[in-house]
Amino acid sequence: MPFGGSVGALRWNPTASVIERLSTYGCPLVYSRAAFANKRRKLCHCPVSASTVPQSQPTAATQTARGRSRSRALQWHKPFRHSKRAYITCRSTVEQYMQGQSDPVVSTAWLAEHTQDVAILDVRGTVKTQLRSTNSQGCRLEMSEYIADYDTYLEGHIPGATFFDWTKDGVDEDQDIPVQLQTDSDTFAAEMEAKGVGTDRPVVVYDSGNGLLAPRIWWCLMYHSYPAPLILDGGYAKWVEEGRPTDLAEPCPLTASPDVQQWHTGCKTAQKPKLQAQEPALSDAQSQSQRVYASFQPKAQPHKRATCSDMLKALDAQEHGTDLVILDARGREQYTGQVKRAERGGHIPGAVNISRKSLLDKSTGLLRPLQDQWEVFQQAGVDCSGKGSQQIYTYCNGGVASCSLALALHRLGLGEQTANYDGSWNEWGNELQLPVTTGDA
């Protein structure tokens, strides 16, 4: 098994159920059992802990950015330090999130207070569009490019945040359609654990502030039954606008091992982690830096993800009087077919257009109050009473923007009735045998 980088002893940690190779500073390379299930068998290299790095050593951000041209990413920067209670106890409000009792949308003030109690994912990126041609009827053909903005992350992010590449992480790369959800639970769990996301604490996801990508990752986590995925309202833009602290260093995504957690609590019965005789002795500071994978216990919920076959069945059921509604989260021009980002323009027959931007406050970019969102869905024919059994399908171009609708419906109590069509128009618009409607019909 190839272990690169640091030197040190290889050992099996029975308490944490991981294989560890201790680095020079006592922060180990870790390979969890969940990672063994990953067909790619990736090894997570835990960066050196801030508490054990001599002042002359580069930070994790410097090491990761090596070879990059951006000078700002190469600058020395003091790492963000978690307190000892960071992975041990949660405040009552955080525990409520873990029990699914609260709104999944949190404010910057809430995150500032609970930064050390949650995992944080930075999912900044964009969908870049480029005009390719315009036909005689004025219909514009556009090309979309999906971009993860890692360079911007290196230039500054919320302290403790781990970067999440929405074009690769949690994505089934074997699919021809881009950015399709990885539905294999073991593979998805291994990738999330490597990001420090476990079911022992909530995770907060934030994007640049336009509200496009964070709901997508929220939906991916919901599909795999993560108990408390949260979204930062206003994203990174609002965080910076309020003058809150940012960081350059990439944090270690691994959490403290159970035996180290007990030691940190000061429990009288707790013992310091014991090393095998052949291993070099570690100082107290080095022992405290020992970390392992977070534990993510996934369970797929297929009813939250619709396929092309499901959409065809839905159209047939709708013709026979079944109470269901199909919601198109794209802009009006794409809905009518005036703008195409696939072989064909238009929309799925019977779909109602609710642009994801209609759920945002135009002046602030924040989510509109739930009452306002309720009225938007009610006008579109969605039964928001919570007493019916109406099935709801959402879609867009690539199954991303439609997750904003899925989030809103979840907050209105309709999450179990909602399925997101993952392939969306990237699939439907390029399959010539599938029905399409243009205009406002």
Side-chain angles (χ1 to χ4, degrees):
M1 183 181 300
F3 287 85
S6 304
V7 294
L10 182 66
R11 72 175 180 183
W12 168 252
N13 184 332
T15 303
S17 297
V18 296
I19 293 175
E20 300 177 347
R21 183 181 181 121
L22 298 178
S23 70
T24 304
Y25 301 106
C27 195
L29 302 178
V30 184
Y31 206 0
S32 71
R33 287 185 176 180
F36 276 109
N38 187 343
K39 61 183 178 181
R40 285 169 288 186
R41 300 194 171 220
K42 292 182 178 178
L43 180 67
C44 176
H45 184 179
C46 173
V48 177
S49 171
S51 63
T52 63
V53 179
Q55 292 301 312
S56 60
Q57 295 291 333
T59 63
T62 305
Q63 295 170 348
T64 303
R66 185 172 294 146
R68 291 183 172 271
S69 59
R70 290 181 177 269
S71 59
R72 291 185 63 185
L74 297 176
Q75 295 175 354
W76 162 263
H77 192 276
K78 184 178 180 181
F80 174 75
R81 301 190 181 194
H82 288 290
S83 69
K84 291 183 179 181
R85 70 175 179 83
Y87 303 108
I88 304 167
T89 60
C90 293
R91 304 183 185 185
S92 59
T93 52
V94 179
E95 292 172 347
Q96 289 176 3
Y97 281 107
M98 294 305 293
Q99 298 168 5
Q101 297 178 356
S102 300
D103 191 343
V105 177
V106 298
S107 66
T108 50
W110 186 94
L111 179 58
E113 184 180 355
H114 297 91
T115 302
Q116 300 182 50
D117 300 321
V118 299
I120 306 175
L121 294 179
D122 183 314
V123 69
R124 280 179 288 174
T126 186
V127 178
K128 182 180 179 180
T129 59
Q130 181 179 359
L131 179 64
R132 298 184 63 182
S133 63
T134 303
N135 64 18
S136 58
Q137 288 77 35
C139 177
R140 304 192 303 275
L141 176 61
E142 295 180 345
M143 178 180 65
S144 297
E145 181 182 1
Y146 296 157
I147 301 173
D149 206 347
Y150 181 57
D151 286 342
T152 300
Y153 167 83
L154 291 177
E155 293 175 353
H157 51 266
I158 295 176
T162 302
F163 185 72
F164 191 95
D165 187 332
W166 72 283
T167 67
K168 297 179 180 178
D169 297 328
V171 169
D172 187 351
E173 296 181 348
D174 293 332
Q175 296 292 324
D176 294 331
I177 306 169
V179 297
Q180 293 296 280
L181 171 66
Q182 175 57 261
T183 57
D184 180 78
S185 293
D186 288 337
T187 302
F188 185 85
E191 293 182 354
M192 293 301 104
E193 288 173 347
K195 297 290 182 181
V197 177
T199 48
D200 60 325
R201 56 180 179 155
V203 57
V204 178
V205 186
Y206 71 88
D207 53 31
S208 62
N210 61 3
L212 174 62
L213 298 179
R216 170 66 182 186
I217 309 308
W218 169 87
W219 175 77
C220 294
L221 291 164
M222 289 292 291
Y223 175 90
H224 287 285
S225 300
Y226 186 82
L230 308 176
I231 292 177
L232 180 63
D233 194 12
Y236 189 71
K238 183 170 177 57
W239 182 272
V240 173
E241 179 184 334
E242 295 174 344
R244 301 190 185 276
T246 60
D247 203 352
L248 296 179
E250 289 189 272
C252 173
L254 310 187
T255 58
S257 61
D259 50 357
V260 173
Q261 288 179 11
Q262 281 191 337
W263 181 29
H264 284 179
T265 62
C267 178
K268 295 181 179 180
T269 61
Q271 300 293 327
K272 293 184 180 181
K274 295 182 179 180
L275 301 180
Q276 297 179 5
Q278 69 271 22
E279 295 174 343
L282 300 179
S283 67
D284 288 351
Q286 290 170 341
S287 296
Q288 287 184 354
S289 70
Q290 180 178 331
R291 297 177 181 275
V292 299
Y293 269 106
S295 176
F296 188 173
Q297 305 297 328
K299 182 180 179 182
Q301 301 188 70
H303 68 280
K304 292 185 177 295
R305 178 181 182 268
T307 64
C308 180
S309 177
D310 294 328
M311 298 306 296
L312 287 172
K313 292 177 182 178
L315 290 179
D316 183 65
Q318 194 174 44
E319 290 181 357
H320 290 81
T322 301
D323 186 14
L324 63 85
V325 61
I326 302 174
L327 303 178
D328 187 322
R330 299 174 299 165
R332 194 69 182 176
E333 289 185 328
Q334 295 178 64
Y335 174 80
T336 60
Q338 190 64 25
V339 172
K340 298 193 304 180
R341 294 185 184 174
E343 188 70 22
R344 299 176 299 166
H347 56 268
I348 297 176
V352 181
N353 184 220
I354 299 182
S355 170
R356 74 163 190 93
K357 292 184 179 180
S358 67
L359 303 177
L360 301 176
D361 187 310
K362 294 181 180 179
S363 60
T364 65
L366 301 178
L367 292 171
R368 295 173 63 184
L370 274 179
Q371 179 61 35
D372 293 350
Q373 294 187 356
W374 182 89
E375 293 176 357
V376 171
F377 286 109
Q378 193 75 12
Q379 293 173 4
V382 177
D383 182 3
C384 297
S385 66
K387 300 178 181 179
S389 58
Q390 184 184 59
Q391 179 64 41
I392 307 168
Y393 295 93
T394 62
Y395 79 95
C396 56
N397 276 309
V400 177
S402 52
C403 292
S404 296
L405 272 60
L407 170 65
L409 291 165
H410 172 84
R411 298 178 70 201
L412 292 171
L414 303 174
E416 290 304 308
Q417 301 168 220
T418 303
N420 183 45
Y421 177 21
D422 203 10
S424 285
W425 204 253
N426 283 340
E427 180 178 29
W428 195 277
N430 288 307
E431 294 292 340
L432 303 183
Q433 76 278 11
L434 298 177
V436 166
T437 301
T438 57
D440 293 321

